[in-house]
Amino acid sequence: MNASYQLGDVVNGMPANMAPRAALPAVGLHHSCCREILRLNGENARLSDELTRMRARYDDLTKSAEMWIHLYETSLAQLRRGDGTAAATAPRSLNS
């Protein structure tokens, strides 16, 4: 094993060969862990921004869909009533 610490050292936060009064080095044993934490923090920030953009797009699409549904229902209601104005503006079927 190449690591200079054991699993219990990571859980306890201090290598077994260091005295409890000794200060842990700022960079050293767990430098790769710090880099990973920084990378994950950056990834979390990016994902948070992406989630915000996706929620805004979802809201826009929901409003657009509601608008199209309302227009369709209005047009259908006019056609059922027999208004001539709706027949001229009603969308044609692709098969006709």
Side-chain angles (χ1 to χ4, degrees):
M1 184 170 173
N2 294 334
S4 62
Y5 52 90
Q6 310 261 333
L7 179 60
D9 300 336
V10 175
V11 173
N12 294 330
M14 184 176 305
N17 60 357
M18 292 182 77
R21 293 180 299 258
L24 289 174
V27 176
L29 294 177
H30 303 289
H31 186 65
S32 63
C33 294
C34 292
R35 282 194 314 256
E36 183 67 10
I37 289 170
L38 291 174
R39 186 189 70 76
L40 290 173
N41 283 339
E43 181 75 7
N44 283 343
R46 185 188 65 78
L47 289 173
S48 177
D49 293 342
E50 186 176 339
L51 179 62
T52 301
R53 285 192 307 273
M54 295 299 280
R55 283 184 174 160
R57 288 179 184 169
Y58 174 79
D59 290 341
D60 290 345
L61 287 172
T62 300
K63 290 175 187 175
S64 178
E66 289 171 354
M67 187 182 309
W68 279 106
I69 290 169
H70 175 71
L71 289 171
Y72 174 77
E73 289 173 343
T74 302
S75 178
L76 188 61
Q78 288 175 346
L79 286 172
R80 287 185 178 157
R81 279 197 315 259
D83 286 353
T85 57
T89 60
R92 295 183 185 178
S93 172
L94 294 176
N95 296 330
S96 56

